[in-house]
């Protein structure tokens, strides 16, 4: 019976399934219409046309998809015109298309995205790379290729990889070009680089050779020699031709082209020699597509499909995959019960004329088809076809290619996952992401001019402009920099280093010194540095400290003198007196040592500091504690002896200030140099109140304030300043000492190299000695530190000793408690007395007395036994001696003759 019911259920289930399946198949239309919109005459369009037609054939020939429905594509040419593209897209709406492949142009995509949003028809673009085409403004726009946001990120990483800071951008002045340059500017800014000059060329303006020459002449006068081209192929080759004519394709120049160049090279290689020769050494990007069997199979039949006259580029692969993406989404759409139906839009009514707006209709289930497209997860010719939360294809990557010879050579890859690498991106996806600079790698490049030496990327502009070099007008410590009275010239240590470094550069550096300051007090170096960021100064020369906040906004050269904040304070010599023996230990050290001695062994332990140990220790626990304490005493005694010896034999210096921490904890005034960053450091970093800070303007003011001391008006307890200034100050002031230490322009790199060369050949040291070495103090200027032994040096020993005592005492009380419960209570006068608390306390004290008596008796017993054993040995020894004497006597009385 049960088997019959089960069979009945199975037949019912399969019958229901077959009926649902047959109804689903029956609901599928015989034909599904899609549209394709792009420019037939363009490089990308010619390749895309063949790829889309072949994809439709392959879909219809595959029985595992669409299940009887035939995919039909209608193609229209937009001619890269926004108006034409809009008209052609409206025509699609009269033929009930459910999706549109294209457009190719970002300009056209912006316009027709408004149309598809209203009519709810998904728009899948395989070539519109404008990063501003996003899902927020255009929800029915789906980009099935890589966004220029990633391409510009790749260019920015290449620029940063080679150490360039500025680029010149030439772009086509439409949505595609302008928005691409905005993305490039943002990505460069993230790496502290920038676009120093950019020029847009209007599209379809028919810019002739003369116009392009005018643009490139202006570029040649600029400082940067790194040029980024974001244009179309026609304009790009015209730019290369004129640049070759002007000598701008030679040594020193860098040209980086976006993927328009690689697409053209893939489609029409090999190029004529006169064309390929004008762009030797150019770097370009190409959308990366991993190798696969399907891709190789499709590439092998491409030559037959294109008639051998057209190569396959990456945009053709994305166009092919877009058709398959739509086909899979439509198949899932039908599986979910979707129906292709359209409704008229009541807002579109024709009031006469020939527009026939009422012929356009809304795709009722367009949103369902869009969701299926965005949920796609398949593998195509270009790799995985999957969208992230921003509706961008996952894992964007590019090839980095170098145009050389008759074609190009791949020098590496860029991926959004790990940056620049010589390994394929799919290899890196299996490893943790690593964007460190050490992990960024590219193969060597043949640069313009057929050189392998990396171009510097910039020159001084040829427009007659001189670098404006800001120089502080100091009123103190003029050894570093000072203005020659009555002239515009400067002298000093920093000036000599600058001029010597400039003389080592392999090119001329036109510059002029611009004074900064009022000449009455040292100027603010923070304001001086900020003027570089505003463009008022191109650079600054002087004794500028390299601090964290400044390195975030400007570039520094290699430092040419040691720096750092130090604390200067008065000192006095310490003499050995009657109480010198107390100086090795600090007061707290003496207190802890004394208390420990009294606590551990009373007078016996204290005596071990000075006398030989003669007492016997009975208890094992006592011996354990004594051993630990003797070890502590050994260390303390040795340290005390060494410190006292040093105090009595070596001249000691003393200062009430021990460093920056003692200054911070006190409430005494602190001096600093006017204009120095020491004020900011003391107030902002250390949190010292500004009321305690006293500005000082000269070495004489330092000495006067230190001599007055913190108790008098105008005096200070110490001065905090940079080490170079302190060295000059102490070279003539022998009563003070150091008592503590506190912890953009491309020319910067070349100047750093030149400064290093000065250091290597000895010129930097000679300049240093000329300006900064005039010491009249012979005493050592090392830092003054405390000569006392502090408790912190020995606290570990005291902790060990304390733990040993605690451990021994704990074991002792455990033994007492154990005996307390094992020994029966003594008879008492009353029954209640033995069980009371006082009785238990009395028993505990009795046990402790008994244990002490037992210990004493054992000790006495050991002494008696030892004494008895010694007596026994003496008696035995006496007997043996007597016996030997008797034998000898007996032997002497024997008559030998008998």
């Amino acid at each position: 019976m049960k088997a019959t019911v089960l069979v009945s259920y199975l037949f019912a289930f399969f019958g229901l399934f077959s009926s649902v399946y047959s109804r689903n198949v029956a609901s599928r239309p015989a034909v599904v219409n899609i549209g394709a919109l792009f420019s037939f005459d363009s490089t990308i369009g010619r390749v895309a046309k063949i790829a889309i037609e072949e994809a439709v054939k392959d879909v219809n020939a595959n029985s595992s998809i669409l299940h009887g429905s035939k995919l039909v594509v209608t193609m229209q040419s937009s001619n890269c015109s926004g108006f034409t593209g809009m008209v052609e897209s409206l025509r699609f709406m009269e033929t009930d298309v459910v999706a549109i492949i294209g457009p190719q142009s970002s300009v056209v995509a912006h316009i027709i995205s408004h149309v598809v949003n209203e009519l709810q028809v998904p728009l899948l673009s395989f070539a519109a790379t404008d990063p501003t085409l996003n899902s927020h403004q255009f929800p029915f726009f789906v980009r099935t290729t890589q966004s220029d946001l990633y391409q510009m990120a790749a260019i920015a990483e290449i620029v940063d990889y080679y150490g360039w800071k500025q680029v010149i951008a030439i772009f086509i002045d439409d949505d595609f070009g302008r928005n691409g340059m905005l993305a490039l500017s943002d990505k460069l800014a993230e790496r502290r680089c920038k676009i120093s000059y950019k020029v847009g060329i209007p599209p379809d303006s028919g810019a002739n050779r003369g116009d392009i020459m005018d643009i490139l002449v202006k570029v040649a006068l600029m400082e940067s020699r790194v040029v980024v081209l974001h244009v179309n192929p026609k304009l790009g080759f015209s730019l290369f031709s004129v640049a070759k004519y002007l000598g701008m394709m030679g040594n020193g120049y860098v040209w980086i082209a976006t993927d328009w160049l690689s697409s053209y090279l893939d489609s029409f290689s090999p190029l004529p020699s006169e064309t390929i020769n004008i762009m030797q050494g150019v770097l370009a990007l190409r959308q990366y597509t991993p190798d696969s069997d399907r891709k190789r199979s499709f590439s092998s039949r491409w030559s037959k499909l294109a008639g051998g006259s057209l190569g396959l580029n990456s945009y053709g692969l994305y166009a092919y995959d877009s058709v398959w993406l739509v086909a899979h989404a439509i198949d899932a759409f039908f599986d979910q019960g979707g129906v292709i139906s359209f409704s008229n839009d009541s807002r579109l009514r024709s009031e006469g004329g020939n527009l026939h707006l009422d012929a356009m209709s809304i795709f009722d289930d367009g949103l369902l088809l869009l969701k299926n497209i965005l949920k796609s997860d398949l593998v195509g010719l270009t790799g995985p076809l999957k969208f992230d939360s921003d509706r961008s294809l996952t894992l964007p990557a590019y090839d980095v290619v170098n145009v050389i010879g008759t074609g190009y050579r791949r020098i590496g890859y860029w991926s959004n996952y790990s940056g620049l690498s010589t390994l394929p991106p799919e290899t890196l996806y299996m490893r943790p992401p690593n964007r460190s600079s050490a992990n960024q790698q590219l193969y060597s490049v043949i640069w313009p001019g057929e050189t392998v030496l990396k171009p510097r990327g910039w020159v001084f502009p040829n427009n007659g402009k001189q670098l404006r070099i800001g120089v502080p007008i100091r009123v103190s410590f003029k050894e570093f920099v000072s203005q020659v009275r009555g002239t515009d010239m400067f002298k000093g240590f920093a000036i000599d280093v600058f001029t010597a470094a400039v003389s080592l550069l392999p090119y001329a550096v036109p510059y002029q010194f611009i004074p900064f300051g009022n000449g009455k007090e040292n100027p603010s170096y923070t304001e001086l540095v900020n003027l570089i960021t505003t463009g008022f100064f191109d650079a600054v020369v002087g004794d500028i400290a390299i601090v964290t906040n400044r390195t975030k906004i400007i570039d520094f050269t290699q430092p040419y003198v040691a720096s750092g904040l130090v604390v200067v304070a008065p000192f006095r010599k310490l003499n050995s007196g009657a109480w010198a023996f107390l100086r090795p230990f600090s007061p707290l050290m003496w207190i802890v040592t004394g208390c420990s001695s009294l606590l551990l062994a009373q007078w016996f332990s204290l005596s071990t500091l000075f006398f030989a140990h003669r007492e016997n220790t009975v208890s094992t626990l006592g011996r354990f504690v004594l051993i630990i304490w003797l070890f502590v005493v050994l260390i303390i005694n040795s340290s005390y002896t060494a410190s006292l010896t040093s105090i009595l034999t070596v001249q000691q210096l003393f200062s009430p200030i021990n460093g920056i921490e003692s200054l911070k904890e006190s409430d005494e005034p602190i001096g600093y140099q006017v204009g120095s960053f020491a004020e900011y450091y003391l107030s902002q970093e250390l949190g010292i109140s500004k009321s305690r800070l006293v500005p000082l303007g000269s070495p004489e003011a330092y000495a006067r304030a230190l001599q007055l001391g913190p108790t008098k008006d105008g005096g200070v307890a110490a001065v905090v300043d940079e080490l170079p200034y302190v060295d000059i100050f102490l070279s003539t002031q022998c009563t003070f000492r150091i008592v503590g230490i506190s912890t953009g322009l491309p020319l910067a790199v070349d100047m750093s190299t030149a400064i290093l060369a000065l250091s290597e050949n000895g010129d930097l040291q000679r300049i240093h000695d000329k300006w900064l070495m005039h010491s009249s103090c012979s005493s050592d200027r090392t830092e003054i530190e405390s000569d006392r032994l502090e408790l912190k040096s020995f606290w570990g020993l005291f902790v060990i000793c304390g733990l040993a005592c605690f451990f021994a005492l704990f074991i002792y009380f455990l033994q007492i408690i154990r005996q307390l419960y094992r020994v029966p209570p003594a008879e008492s006068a009353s029954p209640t007395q033995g069980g009371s608390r006082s009785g238990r306390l009395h028993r505990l004290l009795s046990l402790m007395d008994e244990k002490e008596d037992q210990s004493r008796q054992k000790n006495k017993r050991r002494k008696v036994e030892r004494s008895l054993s010694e007596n026994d040995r003496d008696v035995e020894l006496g007997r043996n001696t007597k016996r030997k004497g008797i034998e000898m006597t007996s032997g002497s009385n024997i008559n030998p003759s008998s």
Side-chain angles (χ1 to χ4, degrees):
M1 181 65 181
K2 292 182 179 179
T4 305
V5 173
L6 179 61
V7 171
S8 301
Y9 279 128
L10 288 176
F11 275 113
F13 172 77
F14 285 114
L16 178 63
F17 176 79
S18 60
S19 63
V20 171
Y21 179 78
S22 61
R23 190 164 57 248
N24 191 353
V25 172
S27 65
R28 293 173 180 251
V31 174
V32 179
N33 294 312
I34 63 172
L37 182 66
F38 50 89
S39 180
F40 294 169
D41 296 332
S42 64
T43 302
I44 295 176
R46 293 173 62 184
V47 174
K49 186 175 186 297
I50 300 174
I52 292 174
E53 290 174 346
E54 194 64 19
V56 171
K57 293 179 182 179
D58 291 345
V59 168
N60 290 330
N62 193 324
S63 60
S64 64
I65 191 172
L66 293 183
H67 302 291
S69 297
K70 181 180 180 181
L71 194 66
V72 176
V73 60
T74 303
M75 298 186 182
Q76 301 289 349
S77 178
S78 65
N79 295 320
C80 291
S81 168
F83 177 77
T84 304
M86 181 182 65
V87 172
E88 297 300 336
S89 64
L90 293 176
R91 287 185 180 179
F92 283 139
M93 304 310 163
E94 298 178 355
T95 59
D96 294 342
V97 297
V98 298
I100 299 176
I101 307 296
Q104 156 194 346
S105 168
S106 296
V107 176
V108 178
H110 272 281
I111 295 175
I112 67 173
S113 290
H114 294 284
V115 177
V116 297
N117 283 350
E118 291 295 326
L119 302 181
Q120 298 186 11
V121 175
L123 180 68
L124 290 81
S125 177
F126 59 88
T129 57
D130 180 359
T132 64
L133 286 166
N134 55 67
S135 58
H136 299 290
Q137 184 179 6
F138 308 114
F140 279 83
F141 173 83
V142 180
R143 194 195 321 270
T144 57
T145 187
Q146 302 297 345
S147 169
D148 275 342
L149 182 68
Y150 300 111
Q151 182 170 209
M152 298 310 167
I155 292 176
E157 288 204 37
I158 292 173
V159 171
D160 183 60
Y161 173 77
Y162 289 111
W164 304 316
K165 294 299 181 182
Q166 299 179 6
V167 302
I168 294 174
I170 302 177
F171 59 95
I172 188 166
D173 196 6
D174 57 11
D175 292 337
F176 163 74
R178 286 191 300 269
N179 295 327
M181 287 302 99
L182 287 175
L184 177 61
S185 180
D186 292 341
K187 294 301 180 180
L188 287 172
E190 292 176 2
R191 301 180 175 277
R192 293 186 60 190
C193 304
K194 65 177 182 179
I195 299 176
S196 59
Y197 178 74
K198 58 183 177 180
V199 54
I201 302 176
D204 302 326
S205 62
N208 55 38
R209 188 176 180 86
D211 297 331
I212 295 176
M213 187 170 295
D214 292 339
I215 292 173
L216 292 183
V217 167
K218 292 180 181 178
V219 169
L221 296 176
M222 299 297 164
E223 176 183 321
S224 177
R225 284 292 184 263
V226 182
V227 185
V228 176
L229 290 183
H230 190 48
V231 293
N232 55 42
K234 179 181 179 181
L235 183 56
F237 287 118
S238 298
L239 286 164
F240 282 139
S241 177
V242 176
K244 180 73 172 179
Y245 175 78
L246 295 176
M248 298 174 65
M249 298 300 297
N251 287 340
Y253 279 91
V254 178
W255 293 84
I256 303 176
T258 51
D259 58 3
W260 63 267
L261 179 57
S262 59
S263 298
Y264 191 90
L265 293 175
D266 286 335
S267 301
F268 298 106
S269 290
L271 296 179
S273 58
E274 60 272 13
T275 303
I276 197 68
N277 287 338
I278 64 174
M279 50 184 178
Q280 293 292 304
V282 173
L283 293 182
L285 295 179
R286 181 178 66 174
Q287 291 176 328
Y288 174 76
T289 55
D291 289 333
S292 63
D293 293 338
R294 288 188 61 196
K295 178 182 173 182
R296 284 189 290 268
S297 176
F298 186 76
S299 299
S300 63
R301 58 181 173 136
W302 178 263
S303 179
K304 181 179 179 181
L305 295 173
S309 61
L310 190 65
L312 177 62
N313 58 40
S314 59
Y315 287 106
L317 297 175
Y318 280 112
Y320 181 91
D321 282 350
S322 298
V323 175
W324 276 93
L325 193 67
V326 169
H328 279 282
I330 293 174
D331 190 49
F333 171 82
F334 288 142
D335 288 342
Q336 296 169 1
V339 177
I340 297 179
S341 62
F342 295 86
S343 302
N344 293 330
D345 190 346
S346 60
R347 294 171 297 177
L348 300 177
R349 294 183 181 275
S350 297
E351 301 295 340
N354 298 320
L355 289 178
H356 301 291
L357 295 179
D358 52 356
M360 292 185 294
S361 55
I362 299 174
F363 182 18
D364 294 329
D365 284 340
L367 186 60
L368 178 60
L369 179 59
L370 175 65
K371 290 180 179 179
N372 282 309
I373 292 173
L374 297 176
K375 290 180 180 178
S376 298
D377 188 4
L378 59 146
V379 178
L381 300 182
T382 58
L385 296 175
K386 187 177 181 180
F387 297 95
D388 58 21
S389 58
D390 294 329
R391 296 190 179 183
S392 298
L393 289 177
T394 58
L395 304 177
Y398 287 85
D399 294 323
V400 184
V401 300
N402 180 207
V403 179
I404 185 69
T406 59
Y408 59 81
R409 180 176 67 97
R410 182 166 54 198
I411 62 170
Y413 309 88
W414 177 91
S415 69
N416 195 45
Y417 185 77
S418 293
L420 298 172
S421 174
T422 55
L423 298 175
E426 59 267 19
T427 303
L428 301 176
Y429 296 151
M430 297 182 292
R431 307 175 183 177
N434 187 350
R435 301 301 290 266
S436 64
S437 57
N439 197 55
Q440 306 300 295
Q441 295 180 350
L442 289 175
Y443 290 121
S444 60
V445 178
I446 305 297
W447 301 100
E450 298 183 357
T451 177
V452 295
L453 297 178
K454 186 201 75 173
R456 188 169 64 244
W458 70 278
V459 295
F460 282 101
N462 297 323
N463 52 14
K465 177 186 175 182
Q466 292 182 320
L467 288 179
R468 292 172 55 86
I469 308 294
V471 183
I473 303 177
R474 295 195 60 88
V475 296
S476 63
F477 297 105
K478 294 185 177 181
E479 294 87 348
F480 286 98
V481 59
S482 63
Q483 188 173 13
V484 180
R485 186 181 300 273
T487 68
D488 294 333
M489 301 177 61
F490 288 83
K491 63 179 182 179
F493 176 54
I495 301 300
D496 282 2
V497 172
F498 174 78
T499 55
V502 168
S503 66
L504 295 178
L505 297 178
Y507 47 83
V509 180
Y511 64 88
Q512 58 176 334
F513 287 141
I514 308 296
F516 176 76
N518 56 19
K520 298 179 181 179
E521 62 180 6
N522 293 333
S524 171
Y525 280 25
T526 300
E527 295 180 8
L528 179 60
V529 168
N530 288 335
L531 288 177
I532 300 178
T533 63
T534 62
F536 184 80
F537 288 137
D538 295 310
V540 167
V541 172
D543 47 331
I544 313 296
I546 304 176
V547 295
T548 303
N549 290 339
R550 295 174 183 173
T551 59
K552 294 178 180 178
I553 58 176
I554 63 171
D555 293 326
F556 283 89
T557 65
Q558 174 76 17
Y560 50 84
V561 67
S563 187
L565 288 179
V566 296
V567 181
V568 180
F571 75 97
R572 61 182 176 87
K573 297 181 179 179
L574 291 177
N575 298 318
S576 59
W579 302 100
F581 70 92
L582 295 176
R583 282 172 49 197
F585 286 169
S586 65
L588 182 60
M589 183 66 182
W590 279 114
I591 294 172
V592 173
T593 303
C595 293
S596 300
S597 299
L598 293 175
L599 180 65
L600 290 171
Q602 299 179 2
W603 66 269
F604 171 73
S605 297
L606 184 62
S607 67
T608 58
L609 285 170
F610 309 100
F611 304 104
H613 178 59
R614 295 187 179 91
E615 283 293 330
N616 292 326
T617 303
V618 177
S619 172
T620 302
L621 296 176
R623 291 192 184 99
F624 172 72
V625 173
L626 182 60
I627 289 172
I628 299 297
W629 175 243
L630 288 177
F631 176 73
V632 174
V633 169
L634 175 64
I635 301 299
I636 295 177
N637 189 27
S638 301
S639 302
Y640 175 86
T641 303
S643 179
L644 183 60
T645 302
S646 175
I647 291 173
L648 296 178
T649 57
V650 179
Q651 181 63 58
Q652 301 291 315
L653 303 179
F654 172 76
S655 172
I657 304 299
N658 295 327
I660 194 68
E661 289 299 325
S662 62
L663 275 179
K664 181 180 177 181
E665 295 173 358
S666 68
D667 57 355
E668 297 176 337
I670 305 171
Y672 70 92
Q673 183 185 172
V674 176
S676 171
F677 76 96
E679 179 186 11
Y680 173 85
Y681 178 79
L682 293 172
S683 62
Q684 301 297 324
E685 298 294 335
L686 298 184
I688 297 176
S689 174
K690 288 189 177 182
S691 61
R692 293 178 53 195
L693 304 182
V694 179
L696 303 173
S698 65
E700 295 76 15
Y702 285 13
R704 185 167 54 254
L706 289 171
Q707 290 169 354
L708 288 175
T711 60
K712 297 181 181 179
D713 188 26
V716 296
V719 172
V720 178
D721 201 357
E722 299 173 54
L723 181 60
Y725 306 117
V726 172
D727 282 338
I728 295 178
F729 170 69
L730 295 181
S731 65
T732 57
Q733 299 290 335
C734 304
T735 58
F736 309 106
R737 288 293 184 270
I738 296 175
V739 296
I741 299 177
S742 175
T743 57
L745 181 68
L747 181 63
V749 177
D750 292 341
M751 286 294 291
S752 297
T753 305
I755 291 172
L756 288 175
L758 289 176
S759 177
E760 292 172 356
N761 61 27
D763 289 343
L764 183 61
Q765 184 61 42
R766 284 189 287 272
I767 297 173
H768 177 276
D769 296 342
K770 171 185 174 182
W771 289 99
L772 306 183
M773 293 297 292
H774 43 78
S775 175
S776 61
C777 298
S778 59
S779 60
D780 186 17
R781 295 201 301 270
T782 57
E783 298 176 19
I784 299 176
E785 297 181 355
S786 175
D787 55 0
R788 287 186 171 184
L789 298 176
E790 301 289 344
L791 178 62
K792 63 182 180 181
S793 302
F794 302 95
W795 70 267
L797 293 173
F798 286 107
V799 168
I800 294 174
C801 187
L803 290 175
C805 294
F806 176 79
F807 178 72
L809 188 62
F810 179 73
I811 294 178
Y812 175 76
F813 275 105
L814 285 179
Q815 293 175 349
I816 295 297
I817 297 300
R818 182 182 179 187
Q819 292 186 13
L820 178 64
Y821 286 97
R822 292 182 61 181
V823 177
E827 294 182 358
S828 56
S830 64
T832 59
Q833 184 179 358
S836 64
R837 293 184 178 178
S838 59
R840 286 196 296 268
L841 179 61
H842 179 73
R843 289 175 55 200
L844 176 62
L845 295 177
S846 298
L847 286 174
M848 294 176 65
D849 291 340
E850 290 175 4
K851 191 172 183 66
E852 184 177 357
D853 291 340
Q854 291 174 3
S855 298
R856 291 176 180 176
Q857 292 175 4
K858 288 181 180 179
N859 189 22
K860 290 180 180 180
R861 189 181 301 112
R862 290 193 189 97
K863 290 182 179 180
V864 171
E865 291 176 353
R866 190 162 49 249
S867 177
L868 290 176
S869 63
E870 289 177 356
N871 292 336
D872 291 342
R873 283 197 300 270
D874 292 341
V875 171
E876 183 67 23
L877 181 60
R879 290 177 181 176
N880 293 338
T881 304
K882 186 175 181 179
R883 185 181 297 111
K884 290 182 180 180
I886 294 173
E887 291 177 355
M888 292 177 63
T889 304
S890 301
S892 63
N893 294 331
I894 297 175
N895 190 354
S897 61
S898 61

